[in-house]
Structure formats: C-alpha cells, structure tokens
Amino acid sequence: MLRQPRDGYRAGVDPVFLAATVQAKPGQSVLELGCGAAPALCCLGKRLPGLDLYGLELQPAYAELGRQNLSENGLTGTIWQGDLSTPPAEMKALSFHHVIANPPYFESDKRIKADDGGREIALAGETALATWVETATKRLRPRGYATFIQRAERLPELLSAMQQHLGALELLPLLPRKNRPPRLILLRGRKDGRAPFQFHAPQIIHEGPVHTEPGNAYSPRFDAVLSQGAELPFSS
C-alpha cells in the first residue's frame, strides 16, 4: 500500500521496475536519489528483507510521505529531505552498496510545465543527469552498483555521464510491445568496474500488438514483477 498526493505527481510502474532490478543481499545498503513517496524503496524492501534502506528527496511533503510509506509497510529506513547537488551531511558521511534513481524524464526548458509544482519538479527537475550520476558514484562503496531508469531518448546523455564515472555498464531496453521501439531504458554501472559494456536483449512489457480492455495484458515476466514482487534480471 502506498500513500501518494491526491493532486500532484503519482508514481507509475517505473519505480517498481527499477526496484525489481536491484540484486542486493541482506545486510547491504541501498540509497535512492529522488525517492519521492518511496515506491521503489517499499517494493525493494518487501522483495528483499534485511536491507538498510535510505532515500533522498527534495520536496518535504514527498519525503514525509516516503517515511510514512516505509513505516506502514513494516519497513525501517531513513529518508532525508535535501538537494542531491548539496546532500545532507548525514548522507555524505555514508557509502552504499547500491544507489538507484528514477530522475525526471524531461528537460525543463523543452516542455509545457505542469500546473502542480510538485508534479513539475518530479517530471522535469532542474538538476542535470550528469549531477545525478556524479552524486550516485560518490555515494557508492567500491564495486557498488548504480542503476537508473530513464526515457530512451535521453540514453546518450545518461550513457555519457555514466561512462565518465562508472564501469561494467549494462543496458536493458524496455519495449512497450513487440516490434515497438523502446520508451524506457535501464542502465546499470559498477564503481571501479572493468567488464566490457553489455547491451542486453530488449524485454517486452505488454503482450499483443495494441492495448485492449480490460487490463493491460502484461507479459508474464512483467506481470510477475507487478503482481508478485518478482525480480527483473537484465538477462532474459
């Protein structure tokens, strides 16, 4: 169960997919940058008990919702309110096995702004993707993993930033349907990683050529992620 604003930004399936890719072990720590109301942290904590969960959220109201959601789902964790470009001292004093992020998908100067201020920040924040990647890398332990979900058209920007700071990059495109171009991509990198770049086979979210009612006709793998809390491996 997840509390979200009645008006404003409401999370979709993207943070669920992001959380499903994390391959963490009990006792490891996970930080989410821009965690919002903490849907990804809640999903991850339910799938993999025993993790140390942390989040950073710019907007105070969303940070408070995130704390409530963790507590009401029986999870313990810490969510800081602050800007990722100038993180709180408490966060800067720690390092993490995994850092995950679902940054705003749009560039603020290339779209019509949303009426709700909180929704606008979530959809098109002012912070560059390069800053998200740099902050994630600084907070990683040696050999730790950073995983991002982003719109496919911003892959060049995200890939360029991650190549400057991380190694062993892995790309997973998500196709809305068979024979459609990807709308979302998942990109993972490892601090101090030296393995060659891996371009994984695309995975298909929905079955069938078009949307039909009722339901969304998710493919078996994505149905398992959404309804059963299954993991989402990069390799099919």
Side-chain angles (χ1 to χ4, degrees):
M1 300 295 293
L2 191 71
R3 292 182 182 269
Q4 300 201 81
R6 186 180 302 275
D7 299 308
Y9 176 76
R10 298 172 64 85
V13 296
D14 305 2
V16 185
F17 296 161
L18 175 63
T21 67
V22 178
Q23 298 176 325
K25 300 177 182 178
Q28 289 189 334
S29 56
V30 181
L31 168 68
E32 183 180 10
L33 299 176
C35 65
L41 291 175
C42 288
C43 290
L44 180 58
K46 282 295 187 180
R47 180 171 67 87
L48 297 173
L51 299 178
D52 294 327
L53 302 174
Y54 297 85
L56 176 67
E57 171 54 36
L58 176 63
Q59 303 184 75
Y62 286 84
E64 181 55 32
L65 280 175
R67 297 182 190 106
Q68 291 182 46
N69 285 328
L70 287 176
S71 177
E72 293 177 8
N73 281 284
L75 301 169
T76 57
T78 300
I79 294 182
W80 296 288
Q81 187 275 316
D83 190 329
L84 66 87
S85 60
T86 54
E90 296 91 341
M91 192 184 95
K92 293 175 67 174
L94 300 175
S95 58
F96 306 88
H97 295 91
H98 295 266
V99 177
I100 62 175
N102 180 18
Y105 285 160
F106 304 99
E107 295 175 88
S108 59
D109 60 345
K110 296 182 180 180
R111 59 187 296 277
I112 298 174
K113 290 187 176 182
D115 293 334
D116 180 85
R119 177 175 172 80
E120 176 61 23
I121 290 174
L123 292 174
E126 299 290 340
T127 306
L129 280 179
T131 303
W132 287 77
V133 173
E134 183 178 3
T135 301
T137 305
K138 287 180 178 178
R139 299 278 60 81
L140 280 176
R141 295 188 177 196
R143 309 291 290 172
Y145 290 94
T147 307
F148 287 76
I149 190 167
Q150 184 55 250
R151 287 177 65 91
E153 58 262 36
R154 299 195 71 184
L155 172 60
E157 181 184 357
L158 180 60
L159 183 61
S160 175
M162 292 184 72
Q163 285 178 319
Q164 294 182 45
H165 299 282
L166 300 161
L169 299 184
E170 298 180 70
L171 172 64
L172 173 61
L174 302 182
L175 277 58
R177 298 182 187 278
K178 186 177 180 180
N179 298 324
R180 299 278 188 89
R183 292 183 180 176
L184 294 174
I185 56 93
L186 285 152
L187 189 60
R188 178 168 64 201
R190 195 172 194 182
K191 191 170 186 175
D192 304 321
R194 299 185 180 278
F197 174 76
Q198 294 188 66
F199 194 142
H200 293 278
Q203 297 192 32
I204 301 170
I205 299 174
H206 298 281
E207 293 193 314
V210 295
H211 176 77
T212 58
E213 296 291 349
N216 291 307
Y218 287 105
S219 66
R221 170 161 288 184
F222 285 88
D223 182 67
V225 170
L226 292 167
S227 63
Q228 302 170 33
E231 67 174 343
L232 179 61
F234 270 47
S235 299
S236 58

